[in-house]
Amino acid sequence: MHYLDYLVKITELTTNDGDIVEIFELRPAMPDEVFDEWAIHFRQNYVADSLLDSLVSGTGKTKQEYLLEYKFPSATDGFGPGTRSGDFSELLVSDYLEFVLGFTVPRERYKNKFNRNSSTQGTDVIGFKIHAERPDPSDELITFEVKAKASGDAPENRLQDAINDSYKDPIRKGETLSALKQIYIEKGNIQRVTQIERFQNKPDRPYTERYGAAAVHSSATYSETMIKSVRLTAGDRWLIVIKKDNLMQLIHKLYEVASQC
């Protein structure tokens, strides 16, 4: 994913309690061909292109209309814009974990929505690395709670919100793995079933576990002072903030280009 070349770590902030927050910026001036590649990849998180003809058949819609009206969160109605920014932010973190850091990151949650304008339940982002054929304690499982504030003029401490919700992840992790396993069983994807099982019984098959919290902001809603004020009430967390000028404008453009197929 060449667009990730434009996701640049610009600094690290130290919170008032001494924790480190990595600050990334999504840079502008992305070439059209890179943005188009990103949009095609982004669409695949909601529906495989190989299924589009069958799904559109009988609806009286074009592919673009089908995606905008049935699959993608609405740009204007109800919770649609908020769901757009939430999905975008989760998928941005997912891409960073997968294509930069080498984790396997399941994407099934976006393909199985019954309400396109609602966020899905469970852990926002889950990823894993398996280093050998047999289970090894060095195998890694990571979960991220992701919050977004892509529009507005007032700063908001979404990183603290992500931290607070991340403490639910040890419970939601098991539920998420179980749901993913059922999807892969139904699809007949035995390789993925085996990968999920690797992380379902930590006492018998120990592995390395890490929890993270991320916030994705427009520049107008980002506040360094607020970032420094965040507090961890228990345990360690990998803390990330990503910011971008006019972020909601970018999100809407990405969905629009992704619908053009």
Side-chain angles (χ1 to χ4, degrees), residues 9-30:
K9 182 176 175 180
I10 56 173
T11 191
E12 290 184 351
L13 296 180
T14 303
T15 71
N16 298 334
D17 289 342
D19 296 300
I20 300 300
V21 185
E22 298 181 45
I23 310 296
F24 291 79
E25 185 173 71
L26 193 55
R27 294 284 171 85
M30 191 180 298

Side-chain angles (χ1 to χ4, degrees), residues 5-258:
D5 294 339
Y6 296 83
L7 181 64
V8 179
K9 182 176 175 180
I10 56 173
T11 191
E12 290 184 351
L13 296 180
T14 303
T15 71
N16 298 334
D17 289 342
D19 296 300
I20 300 300
V21 185
E22 298 181 45
I23 310 296
F24 291 79
E25 185 173 71
L26 193 55
R27 294 284 171 85
M30 191 180 298
D32 288 345
E33 61 270 20
V34 173
F35 194 86
D36 290 346
E37 177 196 49
W38 182 13
I40 292 169
H41 163 72
F42 190 78
R43 180 172 68 237
Q44 309 306 308
N45 289 281
Y46 289 92
V47 58
D49 282 354
S50 60
L51 298 178
L52 268 177
D53 285 334
S54 296
L55 289 169
V56 171
S57 178
T59 64
K61 306 288 185 181
T62 64
K63 289 180 182 179
Q64 184 174 29
E65 289 169 340
Y66 174 83
L67 289 166
L68 291 174
E69 295 175 25
Y70 294 158
K71 276 293 182 182
F72 295 162
S74 171
T76 56
D77 296 339
F79 294 107
T83 302
R84 277 193 171 201
S85 64
D87 285 5
F88 168 88
S89 300
E90 291 170 11
L91 288 167
L92 182 59
V93 173
S94 296
D95 284 349
Y96 177 70
L97 289 178
E98 182 165 352
F99 297 109
V100 177
L101 301 182
F103 285 87
T104 297
V105 182
R107 313 295 183 103
E108 305 304 322
R109 59 192 277 127
Y110 309 96
K111 296 175 181 175
N112 295 288
K113 287 186 178 186
F114 283 89
N115 181 345
R116 67 191 177 109
N117 289 330
S118 293
S119 299
T120 54
Q121 301 301 306
T123 301
D124 288 343
V125 178
I126 191 165
F128 44 85
K129 288 183 182 179
I130 297 175
H131 298 287
E133 290 187 13
R134 294 183 178 275
D136 186 275
S138 66
D139 293 341
E140 302 171 63
L141 178 75
I142 188 166
T143 61
F144 256 93
E145 183 69 24
V146 184
K147 299 295 184 184
K149 185 61 177 175
S151 60
D153 299 320
E156 190 170 325
N157 202 338
R158 295 299 276 158
L159 183 60
Q160 187 65 62
D161 294 336
I163 291 169
N164 295 343
D165 277 1
S166 75
Y167 292 116
K168 304 172 187 175
D169 278 345
I171 296 174
R172 293 188 296 203
K173 174 194 70 177
E175 297 170 341
T176 300
L177 288 172
S178 178
L180 286 168
K181 183 178 178 181
Q182 180 172 338
I183 290 171
Y184 292 133
I185 289 172
E186 291 171 349
K187 288 185 172 183
N189 191 335
I190 303 305
Q191 180 183 10
R192 280 297 178 90
V193 171
T194 301
Q195 290 173 332
I196 295 295
E197 286 183 350
R198 163 68 188 93
F199 299 98
Q200 286 191 294
N201 188 348
K202 189 175 182 181
D204 288 350
R205 297 184 295 276
Y207 55 84
T208 301
E209 191 167 14
R210 194 175 188 188
Y211 295 96
V216 181
H217 280 276
S218 68
S219 295
T221 65
Y222 169 84
S223 165
E224 186 174 301
T225 301
M226 284 186 176
I227 298 302
K228 290 182 176 180
S229 74
V230 301
R231 303 198 68 181
L232 303 179
T233 58
D236 185 28
R237 292 292 184 274
W238 181 9
L239 304 178
I240 291 176
V241 172
I242 301 170
K243 62 189 182 80
K244 169 75 172 70
D245 291 339
N246 302 314
L247 179 57
M248 201 67 207
Q249 181 179 333
L250 171 74
I251 292 171
H252 288 320
K253 179 182 177 182
L254 185 62
Y255 276 100
E256 179 65 25
V257 175

